[in-house]
Amino acid sequence: MVEIRINTAAPEEVPTPLLAVGVRAGASPPGRLAEVAAPAISGGDFSGREGETALLYAGGAIAAQRLLLVGLGEDGPPSPEALRKAAAAAARRARSSGAREAALVVEGGGEEVRAAAEGALLGLYRFSRYKSNREAGDALEKLELLVDGAREEEARGGARVGRAAAAAAALARDLANEPSNTATPEYLAERAREIARRHGMGCTVLDREGIGEEGLAGLAAVGRAAQNEPRFIALEHRRGGEAPPVVLVGKAVTFDSGGISLKPSSGMEDMKFDMSGGAAVLGAMEAVGALELPLNVVALVPATENLPGGRAFKPGDVLRFRSGKTTEIVSTDAEGRLILADALSYARRYNPAAVVDCATLTGACVVALGHHASGLMGNDERLISEVRAAGEAVGERAWPMPLFEEYTEQIKGDVADIKNSGGRPAGALTAGAFLKEFVDYPWAHLDIAGTAYTKKDGGYRTKGATGVPARLLVEFLIRRAEEAA
Ligand code: BES
Ligand code: MN
Ligand code: ZN
């Protein structure tokens, strides 16, 4: 990752190959930067529109060689989202210019610096480990954030949080972008052990045998045909004394072929992203460790492939979960809820204060909300509001959806208690209703099928895995830690 530094020097006096500054529509940059910008603004080459950039040669008027103007749009002080986008645009432009370092003027305090750091770091993210010829212009090593000297302390705090949140999302992106021939369940377990070692967390990993002994019937069934064995990963951050923990649960199907209910082959390659929930949870734990949050936090990641084969579970099969509840398999492609059911039951032993699960669970959620919000369900209005507010704050929007009794009716089983598919109507909500059968604590569920990865490269959300909802989870936990303090 590019190094982010806080500097309190006056922008016009910073010697740098590229100085970037956000400019609102109709406004000018501060001080002598305005002189450099004036011809471009009066000449109509730059209007301050959101996302617009103009690269100018400073010609000795300021210490920087070039001045990059970044549009912040029309109304009022820019939102954190506008700042993340502007910082991403600035950092990418700095990189493509070939500069090794750059500086960015940040007006404001901790919140603004955090947004700028996150935007810049995430905008620069690339998954390039399999490219033989790394793309040119990867020279950018250092980005200085120029802040008002009076707010230096705040700015340093903001940069620290921004760095940690960006690292969480970057780790989530790395894990999810990694193809399934590398990112196996054991690979995820090894990454979790590393996080545990780095931050002094507890880590337990169950293999196929342990999964059987623990009665994790969903994970055992889904993973039965796979050569790459399933794993159940539990990562424990203990810095909250005796307080009950927050438990994060993340679906990690490292490849979802659909199993015997095989998916169509077109687009199936995207099913390497079906472990994005687990990736986000592990990413969030990295930040929890780095920030030493004074909380107890547990991450549970059921990890498996979903493949057809002679040993595969089949439509019509009945599974008996540890809780005693039975489920009849309508589709082996509705596998996510089976492994989440195990993790949600497992969570009960912690007597959790709250459980938040995230999963690329249903195509129906993509139909409902597209790629612009995760589906948000649960059994506790306060927790749902908390999760929603955290997502809004970091630009990882989650939208509440109902879990009416009727959706539970829709998954009543014919030969078993419940069935693992309620058919096409309200597919995201019957999946939520299925999970609800396994919780008896405050719980929220995020369906990230539409938000976990993207085809479009733009702003701070780069093509491939987005890392959603790692930053949402980090923000949620930071707020919980502040509340507890
Ligand atoms: N992993 C998929 C959901 C998914 C679909 C994620 C599209 C990302 C993009 C999940 O396991 C699945 O296959 N769900 C089925 C459920 C159905 C069989 C009840 C679906 O959505 O079609
Ligand atoms: Mn599936
Ligand atoms: Zn799946």
Side-chain angles (χ1 to χ4, degrees), residues 148-188:
D148 181 349
R151 304 184 76 174
E152 182 176 359
E153 245 356 85
E154 227 191 297
R156 290 195 188 283
R160 174 169 177 266
V161 175
R163 243 182 247 119
L171 174 57
R173 288 180 186 181
D174 273 343
L175 293 174
N177 282 326
E178 193 63 57
S180 76
N181 57 332
T182 300
T184 60
E186 171 53 24
Y187 174 93
L188 294 178

Short mmCIF file of all heavy atoms in Angstrom, two decimals, residues 148-188:
data_model
loop_
_atom_site.label_atom_id
_atom_site.label_comp_id
_atom_site.label_asym_id
_atom_site.label_seq_id
_atom_site.Cartn_x
_atom_site.Cartn_y
_atom_site.Cartn_z
N ASP A 148 -4.55 21.56 7.97
CA ASP A 148 -4.42 22.73 8.83
C ASP A 148 -3.68 22.32 10.11
O ASP A 148 -4.07 21.36 10.77
CB ASP A 148 -5.85 23.19 9.16
CG ASP A 148 -5.88 24.43 10.03
OD1 ASP A 148 -4.81 24.81 10.55
OD2 ASP A 148 -6.97 24.99 10.18
N GLY A 149 -2.60 23.06 10.44
CA GLY A 149 -1.77 22.75 11.60
C GLY A 149 -2.57 22.64 12.89
O GLY A 149 -2.23 21.85 13.78
N ALA A 150 -3.65 23.41 13.01
CA ALA A 150 -4.44 23.41 14.23
C ALA A 150 -5.20 22.10 14.42
O ALA A 150 -5.67 21.81 15.51
CB ALA A 150 -5.44 24.58 14.20
N ARG A 151 -5.31 21.31 13.35
CA ARG A 151 -6.09 20.08 13.46
C ARG A 151 -5.23 18.83 13.22
O ARG A 151 -5.73 17.78 12.81
CB ARG A 151 -7.27 20.13 12.48
CG ARG A 151 -8.14 21.37 12.72
CD ARG A 151 -9.35 21.42 11.84
NE ARG A 151 -10.38 20.48 12.29
CZ ARG A 151 -11.60 20.42 11.75
NH1 ARG A 151 -11.92 21.23 10.75
NH2 ARG A 151 -12.50 19.57 12.19
N GLU A 152 -3.94 19.00 13.48
CA GLU A 152 -2.99 17.92 13.17
C GLU A 152 -3.30 16.62 13.92
O GLU A 152 -3.31 15.54 13.32
CB GLU A 152 -1.57 18.37 13.50
CG GLU A 152 -0.53 17.32 13.15
CD GLU A 152 0.90 17.79 13.38
OE1 GLU A 152 1.09 18.95 13.79
OE2 GLU A 152 1.82 16.99 13.15
N GLU A 153 -3.57 16.74 15.22
CA GLU A 153 -3.82 15.54 16.04
C GLU A 153 -4.97 14.73 15.48
O GLU A 153 -4.89 13.52 15.25
CB GLU A 153 -4.17 15.98 17.47
CG GLU A 153 -3.19 15.59 18.56
CD GLU A 153 -2.03 14.73 18.13
OE1 GLU A 153 -0.98 15.26 17.66
OE2 GLU A 153 -2.16 13.49 18.26
N GLU A 154 -6.08 15.46 15.26
CA GLU A 154 -7.30 14.88 14.68
C GLU A 154 -7.00 14.21 13.34
O GLU A 154 -7.49 13.12 13.05
CB GLU A 154 -8.22 16.07 14.42
CG GLU A 154 -9.63 15.98 14.84
CD GLU A 154 -10.39 17.15 14.22
OE1 GLU A 154 -10.08 18.31 14.55
OE2 GLU A 154 -11.27 16.87 13.40
N ALA A 155 -6.19 14.91 12.54
CA ALA A 155 -5.86 14.41 11.21
C ALA A 155 -5.09 13.10 11.30
O ALA A 155 -5.34 12.15 10.55
CB ALA A 155 -5.06 15.45 10.43
N ARG A 156 -4.16 13.03 12.26
CA ARG A 156 -3.38 11.79 12.42
C ARG A 156 -4.30 10.63 12.82
O ARG A 156 -4.14 9.51 12.34
CB ARG A 156 -2.26 11.98 13.45
CG ARG A 156 -1.18 12.88 12.94
CD ARG A 156 0.11 12.83 13.75
NE ARG A 156 0.99 13.89 13.28
CZ ARG A 156 1.69 13.82 12.15
NH1 ARG A 156 1.69 12.71 11.43
NH2 ARG A 156 2.44 14.83 11.75
N GLY A 157 -5.24 10.92 13.70
CA GLY A 157 -6.22 9.91 14.11
C GLY A 157 -7.04 9.44 12.91
O GLY A 157 -7.25 8.24 12.72
N GLY A 158 -7.48 10.40 12.12
CA GLY A 158 -8.28 10.07 10.94
C GLY A 158 -7.50 9.23 9.94
O GLY A 158 -8.04 8.28 9.35
N ALA A 159 -6.22 9.57 9.77
CA ALA A 159 -5.39 8.82 8.82
C ALA A 159 -5.20 7.37 9.30
O ALA A 159 -5.24 6.43 8.51
CB ALA A 159 -4.04 9.50 8.65
N ARG A 160 -5.04 7.22 10.61
CA ARG A 160 -4.85 5.89 11.19
C ARG A 160 -6.08 5.02 10.93
O ARG A 160 -5.98 3.87 10.48
CB ARG A 160 -4.58 6.03 12.69
CG ARG A 160 -4.50 4.73 13.45
CD ARG A 160 -3.96 4.97 14.87
NE ARG A 160 -3.96 3.73 15.63
CZ ARG A 160 -4.95 3.35 16.45
NH1 ARG A 160 -6.03 4.11 16.58
NH2 ARG A 160 -4.87 2.21 17.11
N VAL A 161 -7.26 5.57 11.19
CA VAL A 161 -8.50 4.82 10.99
C VAL A 161 -8.71 4.56 9.49
O VAL A 161 -9.09 3.46 9.08
CB VAL A 161 -9.70 5.56 11.61
CG1 VAL A 161 -11.00 4.83 11.29
CG2 VAL A 161 -9.53 5.69 13.11
N GLY A 162 -8.45 5.59 8.68
CA GLY A 162 -8.62 5.45 7.23
C GLY A 162 -7.73 4.36 6.66
O GLY A 162 -8.16 3.53 5.85
N ARG A 163 -6.49 4.34 7.12
CA ARG A 163 -5.54 3.32 6.68
C ARG A 163 -6.06 1.92 7.06
O ARG A 163 -6.03 0.99 6.25
CB ARG A 163 -4.20 3.54 7.39
CG ARG A 163 -3.07 3.86 6.47
CD ARG A 163 -1.79 4.00 7.30
NE ARG A 163 -1.30 5.37 7.29
CZ ARG A 163 -1.16 6.15 8.37
NH1 ARG A 163 -1.46 5.71 9.57
NH2 ARG A 163 -0.70 7.37 8.23
N ALA A 164 -6.51 1.78 8.30
CA ALA A 164 -6.97 0.47 8.78
C ALA A 164 -8.21 0.02 8.02
O ALA A 164 -8.32 -1.15 7.62
CB ALA A 164 -7.25 0.53 10.28
N ALA A 165 -9.14 0.94 7.80
CA ALA A 165 -10.37 0.58 7.08
C ALA A 165 -10.05 0.22 5.63
O ALA A 165 -10.60 -0.74 5.08
CB ALA A 165 -11.37 1.73 7.15
N ALA A 166 -9.16 0.98 5.02
CA ALA A 166 -8.77 0.68 3.64
C ALA A 166 -8.05 -0.67 3.57
O ALA A 166 -8.27 -1.45 2.63
CB ALA A 166 -7.89 1.79 3.07
N ALA A 167 -7.20 -0.93 4.56
CA ALA A 167 -6.49 -2.22 4.57
C ALA A 167 -7.47 -3.37 4.74
O ALA A 167 -7.29 -4.44 4.14
CB ALA A 167 -5.45 -2.23 5.69
N ALA A 168 -8.52 -3.15 5.53
CA ALA A 168 -9.55 -4.18 5.71
C ALA A 168 -10.21 -4.49 4.37
O ALA A 168 -10.35 -5.65 3.98
CB ALA A 168 -10.61 -3.70 6.71
N ALA A 169 -10.59 -3.44 3.65
CA ALA A 169 -11.25 -3.63 2.37
C ALA A 169 -10.29 -4.22 1.34
O ALA A 169 -10.68 -5.07 0.52
CB ALA A 169 -11.82 -2.31 1.87
N ALA A 170 -9.03 -3.79 1.39
CA ALA A 170 -8.05 -4.31 0.43
C ALA A 170 -7.79 -5.80 0.67
O ALA A 170 -7.66 -6.58 -0.29
CB ALA A 170 -6.75 -3.51 0.53
N LEU A 171 -7.72 -6.19 1.94
CA LEU A 171 -7.55 -7.61 2.24
C LEU A 171 -8.77 -8.40 1.76
O LEU A 171 -8.64 -9.46 1.14
CB LEU A 171 -7.32 -7.83 3.74
CG LEU A 171 -7.27 -9.30 4.21
CD1 LEU A 171 -6.18 -10.07 3.46
CD2 LEU A 171 -7.02 -9.39 5.72
N ALA A 172 -9.96 -7.85 2.02
CA ALA A 172 -11.18 -8.52 1.56
C ALA A 172 -11.17 -8.65 0.03
O ALA A 172 -11.52 -9.70 -0.51
CB ALA A 172 -12.41 -7.74 2.03
N ARG A 173 -10.74 -7.60 -0.66
CA ARG A 173 -10.66 -7.66 -2.13
C ARG A 173 -9.65 -8.71 -2.58
O ARG A 173 -9.93 -9.49 -3.49
CB ARG A 173 -10.25 -6.30 -2.69
CG ARG A 173 -11.34 -5.24 -2.61
CD ARG A 173 -10.84 -3.92 -3.19
NE ARG A 173 -11.81 -2.86 -3.01
CZ ARG A 173 -11.65 -1.61 -3.42
NH1 ARG A 173 -10.52 -1.26 -4.05
NH2 ARG A 173 -12.59 -0.70 -3.23
N ASP A 174 -8.48 -8.70 -1.94
CA ASP A 174 -7.45 -9.67 -2.32
C ASP A 174 -7.96 -11.10 -2.16
O ASP A 174 -7.77 -11.93 -3.05
CB ASP A 174 -6.21 -9.50 -1.44
CG ASP A 174 -5.24 -8.45 -1.99
OD1 ASP A 174 -5.35 -8.09 -3.18
OD2 ASP A 174 -4.37 -8.00 -1.21
N LEU A 175 -8.57 -11.38 -1.02
CA LEU A 175 -9.05 -12.74 -0.77
C LEU A 175 -10.13 -13.14 -1.78
O LEU A 175 -10.13 -14.25 -2.30
CB LEU A 175 -9.61 -12.85 0.66
CG LEU A 175 -8.59 -12.71 1.80
CD1 LEU A 175 -9.31 -12.69 3.14
CD2 LEU A 175 -7.57 -13.84 1.76
N ALA A 176 -11.04 -12.20 -2.07
CA ALA A 176 -12.16 -12.53 -2.95
C ALA A 176 -11.73 -12.59 -4.42
O ALA A 176 -12.26 -13.39 -5.19
CB ALA A 176 -13.30 -11.53 -2.76
N ASN A 177 -10.76 -11.75 -4.81
CA ASN A 177 -10.29 -11.78 -6.19
C ASN A 177 -9.48 -13.04 -6.47
O ASN A 177 -9.39 -13.48 -7.62
CB ASN A 177 -9.41 -10.56 -6.48
CG ASN A 177 -10.22 -9.30 -6.70
OD1 ASN A 177 -11.32 -9.35 -7.26
ND2 ASN A 177 -9.69 -8.16 -6.28
N GLU A 178 -8.87 -13.57 -5.44
CA GLU A 178 -8.02 -14.76 -5.59
C GLU A 178 -8.88 -15.92 -6.14
O GLU A 178 -9.93 -16.23 -5.59
CB GLU A 178 -7.44 -15.12 -4.22
CG GLU A 178 -6.31 -16.11 -4.23
CD GLU A 178 -5.08 -15.62 -4.96
OE1 GLU A 178 -4.52 -14.56 -4.61
OE2 GLU A 178 -4.68 -16.32 -5.91
N PRO A 179 -8.46 -16.52 -7.24
CA PRO A 179 -9.28 -17.60 -7.82
C PRO A 179 -9.35 -18.83 -6.92
O PRO A 179 -8.50 -19.04 -6.06
CB PRO A 179 -8.56 -17.92 -9.13
CG PRO A 179 -7.18 -17.39 -8.98
CD PRO A 179 -7.26 -16.22 -8.03
N SER A 180 -10.35 -19.65 -7.19
CA SER A 180 -10.64 -20.74 -6.26
C SER A 180 -9.61 -21.87 -6.31
O SER A 180 -9.56 -22.69 -5.40
CB SER A 180 -12.04 -21.31 -6.52
OG SER A 180 -12.04 -22.13 -7.67
N ASN A 181 -8.77 -21.89 -7.34
CA ASN A 181 -7.71 -22.92 -7.32
C ASN A 181 -6.62 -22.56 -6.32
O ASN A 181 -5.83 -23.42 -5.92
CB ASN A 181 -7.14 -23.21 -8.72
CG ASN A 181 -6.57 -21.98 -9.41
OD1 ASN A 181 -7.01 -20.87 -9.15
ND2 ASN A 181 -5.59 -22.17 -10.26
N THR A 182 -6.57 -21.30 -5.92
CA THR A 182 -5.67 -20.89 -4.83
C THR A 182 -6.44 -20.66 -3.54
O THR A 182 -6.06 -21.15 -2.48
CB THR A 182 -4.91 -19.59 -5.22
OG1 THR A 182 -4.16 -19.85 -6.39
CG2 THR A 182 -3.99 -19.15 -4.10
N ALA A 183 -7.53 -19.88 -3.64
CA ALA A 183 -8.30 -19.54 -2.44
C ALA A 183 -9.22 -20.68 -2.05
O ALA A 183 -10.44 -20.63 -2.24
CB ALA A 183 -9.08 -18.25 -2.66
N THR A 184 -8.65 -21.71 -1.51
CA THR A 184 -9.40 -22.87 -1.02
C THR A 184 -9.82 -22.62 0.43
O THR A 184 -9.34 -21.66 1.05
CB THR A 184 -8.49 -24.12 -1.05
OG1 THR A 184 -7.36 -23.84 -0.20
CG2 THR A 184 -7.99 -24.42 -2.46
N PRO A 185 -10.68 -23.43 0.98
CA PRO A 185 -11.02 -23.27 2.40
C PRO A 185 -9.78 -23.27 3.30
O PRO A 185 -9.68 -22.44 4.22
CB PRO A 185 -11.93 -24.47 2.67
CG PRO A 185 -12.62 -24.68 1.35
CD PRO A 185 -11.55 -24.43 0.32
N GLU A 186 -8.82 -24.15 3.05
CA GLU A 186 -7.61 -24.19 3.87
C GLU A 186 -6.78 -22.91 3.70
O GLU A 186 -6.16 -22.42 4.65
CB GLU A 186 -6.78 -25.44 3.54
CG GLU A 186 -5.39 -25.51 4.16
CD GLU A 186 -5.35 -25.33 5.69
OE1 GLU A 186 -6.34 -25.58 6.38
OE2 GLU A 186 -4.27 -24.91 6.19
N TYR A 187 -6.78 -22.36 2.50
CA TYR A 187 -6.09 -21.08 2.26
C TYR A 187 -6.68 -19.99 3.16
O TYR A 187 -5.96 -19.22 3.80
CB TYR A 187 -6.21 -20.71 0.78
CG TYR A 187 -5.66 -19.35 0.40
CD1 TYR A 187 -4.34 -19.21 -0.06
CD2 TYR A 187 -6.45 -18.21 0.46
CE1 TYR A 187 -3.84 -17.97 -0.43
CE2 TYR A 187 -5.97 -16.97 0.10
CZ TYR A 187 -4.66 -16.85 -0.34
OH TYR A 187 -4.17 -15.62 -0.70
N LEU A 188 -8.01 -19.92 3.21
CA LEU A 188 -8.67 -18.92 4.06
C LEU A 188 -8.32 -19.16 5.52
O LEU A 188 -8.10 -18.22 6.29
CB LEU A 188 -10.18 -18.94 3.85
CG LEU A 188 -10.67 -18.50 2.46
CD1 LEU A 188 -12.19 -18.60 2.37
CD2 LEU A 188 -10.22 -17.08 2.14
#
